[in-house]
Amino acid sequence: MTQLLSTAPTATRGDEDAVQNNHAFDNGAKGREAIHAGQSLSSLFVGSAAEAVAAGKAIWWEGDKNHLVQVEEGVVRLLRIIGEGRRVIIALQFAGDLNGASLQNDFLFTAEAVTKCKIRRISHMSFHGEVARSNALARAYLSLLCQEAAASHEQMVLLPKKNAEERPCSFIVKLAFRRNPRPRQGPLRVSMNRQDIADHLGLTIETLAHTVTKLASRNIVIPEGRHDLRNVNLARLVRLSGDTDDFSEDFCQRVNLNTRDKPRD
Amino acid sequence: MTQLLSTAPTATRGDEDAVQNNHAFDNGAKGREAIHAGQSLSSLFVGSAAEAVAAGKAIWWEGDKNHLVQVEEGVVRLLRIIGEGRRVIIALQFAGDLNGASLQNDFLFTAEAVTKCKIRRISHMSFHGEVARSNALARAYLSLLCQEAAASHEQMVLLPKKNAEERPCSFIVKLAFRRNPRPRQGPLRVSMNRQDIADHLGLTIETLAHTVTKLASRNIVIPEGRHDLRNVNLARLVRLSGDTDDFSEDFCQRVNLNTRDKPRD
DNA sequence: CGTCGTATTGACGTGCCTCAACCCAGGTGG
DNA sequence: CCACCTGGGTTGAGGCACGTCAATACGACG
């Protein structure tokens, strides 16, 4: 993750979720490679018709026959529901992301539009046909699968080991890095509602609200309406996000020296 | 997961962890396909020398240059350590499993031998060379990646949504199904220590011990020494494991009717 | 401007973690 | 062969972080 802080194309922020980016924002700007993978696989979708999906509508259901979908505009949530109303948001996807790639037969989770979306679909068969025919695509495909795996692993660290403060901080940081590999303090759009975020972070909406309020009272974020943050203090968020091993060296040293006392703001 | 209960090769239990099985026991007996994938990829490793690894020793470290490893004997844990001594066991692997497949450059996690192990390594390059040359291998490889993804997703459901009772139950069930697609009440070897299990389930060892004690007092499992369970009552464990949507129909109905009250033994 | 669904706030309860004492198995040396 | 030692495991008491519940506020629509 260190490369996130290195020099990089300072893409000025485009409109909401219109920037080209790759899989499940968990991967944020995981390097040029990732973006390249997304772009080259994108070419497979140009032939198929764009499809508009209203906010809240399902794109596919768990158990449906597998095909591939690329998100062209909007935000999509991938989720599983287990008995008794428990819901888990496996991943959130943005423009440029594609899914269905890591599945063989049926979908193991449902995909729903968080916002109004534009998507394109291609069949499992034609996808694999094309990929088999091109080395470049095969590499891109592999790269995509690897990113998904990495994202899953990060989530597996977040869920059991981060507390109710660290999780929202991680979330905001990833959201910020996703659209810009070198973000600064600045406004940030949060398209999904609290329930979606909570279900992704393994918290309740109330706990989430409590944390956000506390962050706001320390001027680390300034909420504005339900879907925007003004003046996100990323440096402090990063420190509060619990990824102590992931960042600049001096920071790591500081953290590792006073073990068990994570630095407060 | 329904197919787990259907007719299947009733592989009589071989010796500890010697049965052929595929990736990260999370996938248990995920179907013939899976096992086939593991077996055909295994052929790539026959050329390389078997390597003995003592219990507790690392097989590779997070950040090492990527290569592939197949576990031939023993149990391996894949883990990440984040600051301040927090440890997460991403997955546990058994004989036949292989790893490194979902990585492009460096390892994102460490692998350590839980028990005395025998492993074989091959280079990233030679692996991908072989896979590129054979359609069968490419399919097997893809299948493997998909299984890993599915396992990750399951873990992402377990961690935030299952409680301190359901998690150990899920764990024992998976352990039982891993070696035998149609297990009955019977003895079960648990090679790893409590800390490993706890770190995999996102619990503390104390909480884990409390749960196991409670299960024992209800005769659902009967611990025998530190590494064995006698007379595992799988039917009840399944019911307690919180995967309410995964099993036989009448059971599902029973569960869904009285919402919120999961059936007690 | 009124209505409804979403979000916030705060009081309260509880499930898991923390901490500390104890137990037990396995290894080692007398 | 037994006493001791050591490290992993268990048990139980107590605290706290997060969940639950309920009341209120907000913001997006008509």
Side-chain angles (χ1 to χ4, degrees):
Chain A
M1 240 203 182
T2 351
Q3 74 256 37
L4 294 186
L5 300 172
S6 65
T7 61
T10 13
T12 51
R13 72 186 275 275
D15 216 60
E16 161 64 333
D17 306 316
V19 281
Q20 184 66 283
N21 202 321
N22 209 287
H23 179 260
F25 81 126
D26 299 312
N27 305 320
K30 253 280 151 71
R32 311 309 130 244
E33 215 171 337
I35 290 163
H36 183 63
Q39 281 172 341
S40 55
L41 289 173
S42 290
S43 66
L44 298 178
F45 292 84
V46 293
S48 62
E51 182 180 334
V53 183
K57 289 283 182 190
I59 295 171
W60 71 69
W61 297 93
E62 185 175 340
D64 278 4
K65 185 124 181 50
N66 180 28
H67 56 271
L68 281 94
V69 171
Q70 177 165 53
V71 182
E72 194 166 304
E73 252 181 71
V75 182
V76 169
R77 58 176 175 250
L78 310 182
L79 59 94
R80 288 196 57 178
I81 299 204
I82 54 178
E84 307 152 44
R86 298 190 270 191
R87 192 180 80 148
V88 179
I89 297 207
I90 308 279
L92 290 162
Q93 296 199 310
F94 300 86
D97 293 345
L98 62 95
N99 210 283
S102 63
L103 297 167
Q104 298 217 278
N105 304 306
D106 302 339
F107 285 116
L108 298 172
F109 45 82
T110 297
E112 294 173 356
V114 171
T115 64
K116 189 157 65 91
C117 286
K118 207 178 288 177
I119 63 169
R120 291 179 195 270
R121 308 183 195 248
I122 59 175
S123 79
H124 191 259
M125 223 179 65
S126 89
F127 175 79
H128 281 96
E130 294 286 347
V131 166
R133 224 164 288 137
S134 152
N135 274 332
L137 288 180
R139 267 198 308 278
Y141 177 41
L142 184 58
S143 166
L144 178 66
L145 289 176
C146 293
Q147 288 165 59
E148 288 192 19
S152 297
H153 291 167
E154 249 178 65
Q155 193 72 354
M156 283 199 259
V157 169
L158 178 138
L159 290 171
K161 294 294 175 185
K162 293 190 181 179
N163 64 28
E165 179 170 279
E166 293 167 328
R167 293 184 206 185
C169 290
S170 298
F171 180 79
I172 299 168
V173 167
K174 277 190 284 191
L175 214 51
F177 275 112
R178 186 190 65 80
R179 60 182 325 145
N180 182 345
R182 201 177 184 175
R184 316 213 130 263
Q185 333 228 121
L188 185 65
R189 169 128 270 241
V190 182
S191 325
M192 44 299 218
N193 65 22
R194 305 295 161 158
Q195 191 64 63
D196 287 337
I197 300 173
D199 285 346
H200 185 51
L201 299 180
L203 298 171
T204 60
I205 43 173
E206 294 96 331
T207 301
L208 181 61
H210 285 138
T211 298
V212 172
T213 306
K214 271 195 337 198
L215 293 176
S217 74
R218 293 201 270 158
N219 283 320
I220 294 170
V221 296
I222 304 177
E224 185 168 287
R226 293 180 172 185
H227 291 291
D228 291 279
L229 297 175
R230 282 208 69 71
N231 211 314
V232 174
N233 188 332
L234 270 169
R236 290 167 89 184
L237 282 172
V238 165
R239 259 173 279 155
L240 293 172
S241 72
D243 295 322
T244 49
D245 51 341
D246 271 5
F247 285 85
S248 65
E249 310 218 313
D250 54 353
F251 173 67
C252 283
Q253 282 172 2
R254 262 176 51 220
V255 170
N256 293 335
L257 288 177
N258 35 347
T259 14
R260 191 130 281 266
D261 277 318
K262 33 201 132 97
R264 295 279 130 196
D265 47 343
Chain B
M1 241 202 182
T2 350
Q3 73 257 36
L4 295 186
L5 299 172
S6 65
T7 60
T10 12
T12 50
R13 70 186 278 272
D15 218 61
E16 160 64 335
D17 305 318
V19 282
Q20 184 66 284
N21 202 319
N22 208 285
H23 181 261
F25 82 126
D26 298 314
N27 303 322
K30 254 278 151 69
R32 311 306 129 243
E33 217 171 336
I35 289 164
H36 183 64
Q39 281 172 340
S40 55
L41 288 172
S42 291
S43 66
L44 298 177
F45 291 84
V46 293
S48 62
E51 184 180 332
V53 184
K57 290 284 181 188
I59 294 172
W60 71 67
W61 296 94
E62 184 175 341
D64 279 3
K65 186 126 181 45
N66 180 29
H67 56 271
L68 280 94
V69 171
Q70 178 165 55
V71 182
E72 196 166 304
E73 250 180 72
V75 182
V76 169
R77 59 177 174 249
L78 309 181
L79 58 95
R80 287 196 58 177
I81 299 204
I82 55 179
E84 307 152 43
R86 297 189 270 192
R87 193 180 79 147
V88 179
I89 297 207
I90 307 280
L92 290 162
Q93 296 198 312
F94 300 85
D97 293 344
L98 63 94
N99 210 284
S102 64
L103 298 166
Q104 297 219 276
N105 304 307
D106 302 338
F107 285 116
L108 297 171
F109 46 82
T110 298
E112 293 173 356
V114 170
T115 65
K116 191 155 65 90
C117 286
K118 206 178 288 178
I119 63 168
R120 294 178 193 269
R121 305 182 195 250
I122 60 175
S123 79
H124 191 260
M125 223 179 64
S126 87
F127 175 79
H128 282 96
E130 293 287 348
V131 166
R133 224 164 288 138
S134 152
N135 274 333
L137 288 179
R139 268 198 308 277
Y141 177 41
L142 184 58
S143 166
L144 178 66
L145 290 176
C146 293
Q147 288 166 58
E148 289 192 20
S152 298
H153 292 168
E154 248 179 64
Q155 193 71 354
M156 283 198 258
V157 169
L158 178 138
L159 289 170
K161 294 292 175 186
K162 293 191 181 180
N163 63 28
E165 179 170 279
E166 293 167 327
R167 294 184 205 186
C169 289
S170 297
F171 180 79
I172 299 169
V173 168
K174 277 190 282 189
L175 213 51
F177 276 112
R178 186 191 64 80
R179 61 179 328 147
N180 182 344
R182 202 179 184 176
R184 316 210 133 262
Q185 333 227 122
L188 186 65
R189 168 129 270 241
V190 182
S191 324
M192 46 299 222
N193 66 22
R194 307 294 161 159
Q195 190 65 63
D196 287 338
I197 301 172
D199 286 346
H200 185 51
L201 299 180
L203 299 171
T204 59
I205 43 173
E206 295 95 331
T207 302
L208 181 60
H210 285 140
T211 299
V212 171
T213 305
K214 272 194 335 197
L215 293 176
S217 74
R218 293 202 268 157
N219 283 321
I220 294 170
V221 296
I222 304 177
E224 185 166 287
R226 292 178 172 182
H227 291 291
D228 292 279
L229 297 175
R230 282 207 71 71
N231 211 311
V232 175
N233 187 331
L234 272 168
R236 290 166 88 183
L237 283 172
V238 164
R239 259 174 278 156
L240 294 172
S241 72
D243 295 321
T244 48
D245 50 343
D246 271 4
F247 284 84
S248 64
E249 312 218 311
D250 55 352
F251 172 68
C252 283
Q253 282 172 2
R254 262 175 51 218
V255 170
N256 292 336
L257 289 176
N258 35 347
T259 12
R260 193 132 279 267
D261 278 319
K262 29 200 136 89
R264 294 279 130 196
D265 43 343

